[in-house]
Amino acid sequence: MIRYTIPFMCCLAMCILYCMRMNLNIAMTVMVQEPQEDAEMCIEELGPDGENKCNNITTDIETFDWNTETQQLILGSFYIGYTIMPIPGGWLAGQIGGKRVVAIAVVWSSLLTSFIPAVAAISVNLLIALRILDGFGQGIAIPGAYVLISKWAMPNERSTMVSITLSGMCMGLIISSYLSAWMCSSDIFSGWHFSFYSYGITGAVWTLVWLTLIYESPSVHPFLSINEREHIHLALNQTEQKRNVPWIEILCSTPVQALIICIVTFEFGLYTILSDMPLFFTHVLGYSLETTGFLTLIANLLQFGIQFTCGFIADGIVNRSYLSVLSTRKMFVAITLGVSSFFLILLNYFDNNHVTVTVVLVTIVYSIYGFDAAGIFSNPMDLSPPFSGVISGLMLTASSITGFIGPLVLGTIINDENTLQKWNVFFAVVAGIQIFGLLVYLAFAQGEEQEWSKNASKVHEDETIALIRTSKQNGSIKE
């Protein structure tokens, strides 16, 4: 089916964007020099005759003398723009179309990523500004994808398309972890410079394919069969008219509020575990860096597999009438937040003598988070297909704040005592927060389009039928 080209291309877009976002984190390890330590190593290993060799080492690859505070400021500045833009991005996608917004996000980020090597050599402040602008661009991508998918996804396949799309982020994390490390350590085009250029070129190539294959809606797709076009139009009952966003109704909607609370509690655990899982495995459980990298890879692969397939499972449950849409959403949210919270609490019953069990439990928790695609992230399209981009923007903006709060809470609890007991306390806190979000969602969630959405997007059926008939008469669609 032609329409499934859209979620797969959206998946690649999210993968490329995430690779570009994470590349600087990895490249930073070779971009930053430590002159004193390097000099001591050269003297110790090469002796008095090693001076020329040391000079060769330091001049071959461009490095910077950024301290830890500067590095964190550069990396964190991205999220300033990324936190601000999802809501405007959702509105913009409703005005100019999701196809254009996603393309703008990838082109914008590709250009800025390609400029990083040159900008870094000019000024740290300029690099920080560039990273903020990059966050602006990437912040509109997911809302844009929601708006585009809402025009193509049948009600019984929304979970599938959303899960395929969002799995690209986990794919990008997996790919960048190894591809970026390889490129940064190679001698191609001065090492780390090549990693930024390659992702920029990849984004440009993806954009050309996107603009060629993807169309904003079924009504303008030249190769869509008449049966599929009519099937989508009648099922979604939509036209191409622009609609004013009912901001007050959306903000005051109890199901939307419950969804926002739910995703904030979810992202609190996900962001912190994603960021600090390597630290936990290495400094608390005592694994080597190589083993930690392998364990992290396994966790990410499991989450990607779950995230990619859970949408098919959810739609299958609804299509076979095993459960309603609302019950299905609640079930997957219960798995995401409830089951993961159970395993987080269970961690408190194991000490340093059960390191393997601890690793397995943390990996299970991180993997279970992949079920979010069929629950939390599919719900905006249930509540309001035409305004799902705005709702997802509200969700992303609210949940991005947890990326700052989570590490602060963790640091307060650990308080320079990096022990398993302290971490277990933090895991219990995460579980408690997640359970709160789960209870709110179970109490107030809805699984059908809301009245304010129907009123704002209401169209006459004869307009839709007339649009199809006009397309038939003009010969713009195939029998």
Side-chain angles (χ1 to χ4, degrees):
M1 292 177 286
I2 292 178
R3 64 181 180 272
Y4 271 88
T5 306
I6 293 170
F8 280 106
M9 285 297 293
C10 286
C11 175
L12 292 178
M14 300 305 158
C15 177
I16 294 169
L17 289 171
Y18 219 90
C19 284
M20 290 190 286
R21 182 195 308 187
M22 300 301 297
N23 185 58
L24 184 58
N25 297 54
I26 299 172
M28 193 80 78
T29 60
V30 295
M31 291 173 65
V32 177
Q33 65 177 353
E34 297 181 10
Q36 293 182 352
E37 292 184 7
D38 291 343
E40 291 176 0
M41 289 176 62
C42 288
I43 294 174
E44 180 181 350
E45 294 182 5
L46 301 177
D49 297 331
E51 183 177 356
N52 292 334
K53 295 181 181 180
C54 286
N55 290 336
N56 291 336
I57 292 175
T58 57
T59 56
D60 283 345
I61 299 178
E62 183 181 15
T63 55
F64 306 94
D65 57 349
W66 299 331
N67 58 32
T68 302
E69 183 180 355
T70 300
Q71 295 177 49
Q72 293 303 313
L73 184 59
I74 294 171
L75 296 176
S77 59
F78 171 90
Y79 295 95
I80 297 175
Y82 188 77
T83 302
I84 294 173
M85 283 307 293
I87 297 175
W91 171 85
L92 182 64
Q95 301 302 308
I96 69 174
K99 173 187 174 180
R100 293 186 180 91
V101 167
V102 176
I104 290 171
V106 176
V107 170
W108 180 260
S109 189
S110 298
L111 286 173
L112 296 185
T113 298
S114 300
F115 291 155
I116 285 179
V119 171
I122 297 173
S123 166
V124 171
N125 292 332
L126 192 59
L127 178 59
I128 292 172
L130 184 144
R131 287 283 289 174
I132 295 174
L133 293 174
D134 192 10
F136 282 146
Q138 292 208 24
I140 67 176
I142 293 179
Y146 266 93
V147 171
L148 180 61
I149 290 173
S150 69
K151 298 178 181 179
W152 285 90
M154 307 290 289
N156 61 354
E157 59 187 12
R158 288 169 180 163
S159 300
T160 300
M161 289 197 176
V162 170
S163 67
I164 292 173
T165 297
L166 297 182
S167 66
M169 293 187 289
C170 194
M171 183 194 304
L173 180 62
I174 296 170
I175 292 175
S176 64
S177 298
Y178 290 87
L179 186 59
S180 294
W182 174 78
M183 289 189 292
C184 289
S185 61
S186 70
D187 295 328
I188 304 175
F189 299 110
S190 302
W192 61 266
H193 297 76
F194 175 65
S195 64
F196 294 102
Y197 300 145
S198 63
Y199 286 130
I201 294 172
T202 302
V205 172
W206 175 92
T207 302
L208 293 176
V209 177
W210 174 265
L211 295 177
T212 302
L213 297 180
I214 303 303
Y215 292 83
E216 186 64 38
S217 68
S219 63
V220 296
H221 201 297
F223 305 115
L224 198 65
S225 68
I226 185 173
N227 291 332
E228 187 172 1
R229 187 190 305 268
E230 186 171 353
H231 187 49
I232 295 174
H233 270 301
L234 292 178
L236 300 181
N237 193 32
Q238 62 184 12
T239 62
E240 301 309 309
Q241 63 184 23
K242 295 184 178 69
R243 308 176 180 93
N244 294 324
V245 179
W247 290 104
I248 296 178
E249 288 84 354
I250 291 176
L251 293 173
C252 295
S253 172
T254 301
V256 172
Q257 294 170 350
L259 187 57
I260 292 174
I261 292 173
C262 181
I263 193 172
V264 168
T265 61
F266 162 72
E267 297 282 15
F268 179 85
L270 175 66
Y271 276 160
T272 309
I273 293 179
L274 171 63
S275 302
D276 295 304
M277 186 165 51
L279 173 66
F280 178 70
F281 286 161
T282 304
H283 294 287
V284 179
L285 301 184
Y287 285 101
S288 65
L289 290 175
E290 293 78 8
T291 304
T292 296
F294 175 75
L295 294 174
T296 304
L297 173 63
I298 294 298
N300 282 305
L301 286 173
L302 290 173
Q303 187 183 102
F304 169 74
I306 292 174
Q307 197 168 50
F308 187 86
T309 58
C310 67
F312 294 90
I313 298 172
D315 284 334
I317 292 173
V318 174
N319 294 339
R320 290 173 174 78
S321 299
Y322 295 146
L323 292 173
S324 66
V325 172
L326 178 58
S327 297
T328 302
R329 297 285 178 255
K330 288 183 176 181
M331 181 184 73
F332 277 91
V333 172
I335 294 173
T336 304
L337 297 180
V339 177
S340 64
S341 296
F342 169 77
F343 284 110
L344 285 171
I345 295 174
L346 193 61
L347 282 165
N348 284 267
Y349 294 92
F350 298 96
D351 54 23
N352 293 323
N353 297 321
H354 304 87
V355 172
T356 302
V357 176
T358 300
V359 170
V360 171
L361 291 178
V362 172
T363 302
I364 290 175
V365 169
Y366 186 73
S367 303
I368 287 175
Y369 285 149
F371 286 104
D372 63 337
I376 302 171
F377 285 99
S378 292
N379 201 203
M381 229 171 275
D382 301 327
L383 301 178
S384 177
F387 304 116
S388 57
V390 173
I391 297 174
S392 66
L394 291 168
M395 293 166 54
L396 291 174
T397 295
S399 63
S400 295
I401 300 174
T402 62
F404 302 98
I405 297 176
L408 292 177
V409 174
L410 175 61
T412 301
I413 293 175
I414 291 178
N415 193 24
D416 295 330
E417 296 181 29
N418 213 8
T419 63
L420 182 58
Q421 290 72 23
K422 291 285 188 177
W423 275 81
N424 284 338
V425 172
F426 173 72
F427 290 143
V429 171
V430 172
I433 293 173
Q434 291 184 170
I435 291 173
F436 170 75
L438 172 60
L439 293 176
V440 171
Y441 187 83
L442 293 178
F444 301 107
Q446 293 293 326
E448 58 185 16
E449 187 172 4
Q450 301 299 290
E451 286 300 322
W452 48 263
S453 176
K454 294 178 182 178
N455 295 334
S457 61
K458 188 175 182 180
V459 297
H460 297 291
E461 186 174 340
D462 56 351
E463 292 183 19
T464 305
I465 297 175
L467 178 64
I468 298 171
R469 288 176 177 171
T470 300
S471 299
K472 293 180 183 178
Q473 292 171 0
N474 294 337
S476 61
I477 54 179
K478 299 179 180 180
E479 295 288 345

